[in-house]
Amino acid sequence: MSDQTAQGGTSAARRVVVVGAGMAGVQTAVALREQGFKGPVTVIGAEPHQPYDRPPLSKAVLLGKAEGSAFDVDFESLGVELRLGCEVFGLRPAEHELDTEAGPVPYDVLVLATGAEPITLPGTEGVPGVHLLRTLDDAERLQPVLARQHEIVVVGAGWIGAEFATAARGAGCAVTVVEAADRPLAGALPAEVAAPMAAWYADAGADLRTHARVERVEPGAVVLADGTRLPADAVVVGIGARPATAWLAGSGVELGPQGDVLADDRLRTSVDDVYAVGDCASFPSARYGARLLVHHWDNALQGPRTVAANILGETPAVYDPVPYFWSEQFGRFVQYAGHHAAADRMVWRGDPTGPAWTVCWLREDHLVALLAVGRPRDLAQGRRLIEGGSRMDLEALADPAKPLKDAKAG
C-alpha cells in the first residue's frame, strides 16, 4: 500500500471529502472534528434524506413506531458541509477529483464510505409487490404492506430476512420464509449452531421452508423450483448485500473478488490520499490472520476513528477490531463477537433448545469468537477475553452457571 500524505500542520488548507452519508461516512466527519481536524469536510450522500441510521429500519420505522432514524448530529455546528441527493459517478485520482451529477468535486483527502447494496433476485425487476429493505424509502414502502396484514413471502433466511419476518409476524401478517440452503443463516454460522434457530420461526408462527429455491416471482405469487406456488401479496428479498463500489471501476482503486475496496491495516486504499471504511471495504486482520469484510453497524462506527487518526497523521492507527454485531429476532437478542472461521474447537454453554445459550469458538484453547442468545453478559465478557487473547479453561467454559470471565485459564 502506498503511503498517504500526512495532514500534519496544514489542516486548514486540506479538504476532506467523504462519499457516503451512512454511519461510516457521518462518523468519519464527526471523528475528524473530535480529533481536531480544522480543514473543510464535505459529506456527499446519494439519498435526499438527512443522514440516518439503518438498524431501526427493520424495527421501529418499519412498524410505523418511528418516522425516521436521523443521526443526532449538528452538522452545521461541526462545520461539516452536506451534499445530499447527489450521485457520485467516478473518481479521477490523478486530478484529485470526483465526478458527480452536480459536477466535479475536488478533494485533498477522500474517504470511501459508500456501504453495501442489496443483491436483487434475478427476474424480479418490474414485478409489482417485490421489495428490498435497505433504505428509508424501502421501509416506508413496506409500512402499508404490514399495516394491511398482507400475506408475505420472504426470500432468504439470513439476518435481514429473520428481522423482517419478526416485524411482519408482529404486525399480524402471514409469513412464509423460503431459503435455498438447508438451514437459516447458512452463510454465517455452522450447521449445528444455526439448526436450533429454525424452530424460532415456527414458534413465532412463521413458515420456514428450507431447500426451497425460487424459480420465478409472478404478480401475487412465488413459484419454487419444485413447482410449489406460494401466494404472496408482497415479496421481500433478503439474500445478501455487496459493496457499493461499481462506480470505482477504472479508478485505480483495487477491489477484491466481492467488489470490496482492499484497504490496508490503516484503512488506506491502493490510491494515494484515498481511504475506505465500513461495509464497502475489507481490511487485513493480524488478530485472525485473514482479510475481513464486515457488513455490520459496529464496524461502521469503529473504523472512522482509525481513518480520522490516520488523516491527521500525528498518531498513526492500525485497525484490527474484534468484529461485533447483534440481531433482534423472534423475541430473542442474538449477539456475535469475533471471527470463527479458523477455530479448531467449539464449546456450548447452555441448551440450544432453550431460551438462552452461548456457543464459543476457540483456537488452541484461546477464545476467538462467540455467539450469545439471551446472554448479554457472556457477550460483554467474551469480547474482552477475545481482545486480550485469553486462553480458556474448557471445563469451566462449558458451565453456563459460571461467569465466562471466570473460565479464563490461570
Side-chain angles (χ1 to χ4, degrees):
M1 292 290 173
S2 57
D3 288 334
Q4 306 286 351
T5 306
Q7 171 262 334
T10 59
S11 172
R14 291 172 58 76
R15 176 180 182 178
V16 176
V17 175
V18 182
V19 183
M23 171 63 81
V26 167
Q27 288 301 318
T28 296
V30 170
L32 282 166
R33 292 300 188 229
E34 287 179 345
Q35 294 182 32
F37 183 78
K38 304 298 184 185
V41 177
T42 299
V43 176
I44 302 175
E47 294 182 57
H49 310 290
Q50 279 293 114
Y52 61 88
D53 203 5
R54 294 190 189 278
L57 298 184
S58 61
K59 305 171 183 70
V61 175
L62 187 61
L63 293 172
K65 296 178 180 178
E67 292 185 3
S69 54
F71 292 116
D72 184 17
V73 175
D74 188 337
F75 295 98
E76 186 175 354
S77 70
L78 284 176
V80 172
E81 177 192 10
L82 288 181
R83 295 192 185 184
L84 303 176
C86 181
E87 194 81 36
V88 178
F89 296 126
L91 166 62
R92 290 178 286 115
E95 292 81 15
H96 272 57
E97 280 190 342
L98 290 166
D99 291 321
T100 81
E101 60 185 11
V105 175
Y107 68 85
D108 293 305
V109 179
L110 178 65
V111 181
L112 307 176
T114 47
E117 55 194 6
I119 297 171
T120 58
L121 189 65
T124 58
E125 296 80 4
V127 178
V130 178
H131 300 263
L132 299 168
L133 181 52
R134 183 72 184 182
T135 68
L136 182 59
D137 290 340
D138 292 337
E140 290 178 345
R141 280 191 288 268
L142 279 163
Q143 283 179 353
V145 173
L146 268 60
R148 290 195 290 267
Q149 298 185 331
H150 276 177
E151 197 162 12
I152 297 173
V153 172
V154 179
V155 182
W159 300 112
I160 192 66
E163 291 189 0
F164 178 80
T166 299
R169 283 299 302 140
C173 300
V175 178
T176 300
V177 180
V178 296
E179 169 58 54
D182 62 349
R183 62 189 187 275
L185 295 167
L189 297 172
E192 59 267 47
V193 177
M197 299 176 174
W200 299 357
Y201 288 77
D203 291 346
D207 179 12
L208 172 64
R209 302 193 182 199
T210 56
H211 299 286
R213 191 171 297 278
V214 175
E215 178 69 26
R216 65 183 182 277
V217 178
E218 303 172 349
V222 172
V223 181
L224 303 181
D226 65 1
T228 302
R229 187 182 183 86
L230 302 173
D233 297 310
V235 178
V236 176
V237 179
I239 56 174
R242 61 168 64 92
T245 57
W247 66 280
L248 290 168
S251 68
V253 172
E254 189 177 358
L255 303 180
Q258 299 181 67
D260 47 312
V261 177
L262 296 178
D264 70 2
D265 62 359
R266 295 186 185 179
L267 299 181
R268 302 172 296 190
T269 74
S270 58
V271 170
D272 283 349
D273 301 319
V274 180
Y275 294 79
V277 67
D279 289 6
C280 72
S282 62
F283 57 90
S285 169
R287 185 192 307 276
Y288 291 107
R291 174 167 286 275
L292 303 183
L293 175 59
V294 181
H295 282 183
H296 292 295
W297 185 90
D298 191 65
N299 179 51
L301 175 67
Q302 303 294 341
R305 297 168 190 164
T306 297
V307 169
N310 289 323
I311 289 173
L312 278 128
E314 294 165 4
T315 308
V318 168
Y319 191 60
D320 195 4
V322 173
Y324 166 74
F325 70 87
W326 79 96
S327 176
E328 296 176 68
Q329 49 185 271
F330 308 116
R332 293 166 173 85
F333 187 42
V334 183
Q335 296 173 282
Y336 177 96
H339 180 67
H340 67 267
D344 55 28
R345 184 188 295 266
M346 192 170 68
V347 176
W348 291 90
R349 285 170 57 81
D351 180 358
T353 64
W357 48 273
T358 296
V359 61
C360 301
W361 286 273
L362 302 102
R363 182 170 178 80
E364 298 175 352
D365 293 343
H366 292 267
L367 188 65
V368 295
L370 79 161
L371 177 84
V373 176
R375 291 178 68 96
R377 186 172 296 177
D378 272 6
L379 189 288
Q381 294 178 5
R383 194 175 182 182
R384 288 193 289 270
L385 290 167
I386 296 169
E387 288 171 346
S390 300
R391 186 171 172 275
M392 307 303 293
D393 179 320
L394 301 185
E395 184 177 346
L397 185 65
D399 185 352
K402 289 186 176 180
L404 201 146
K405 64 181 180 180
D406 292 346
K408 182 177 178 180

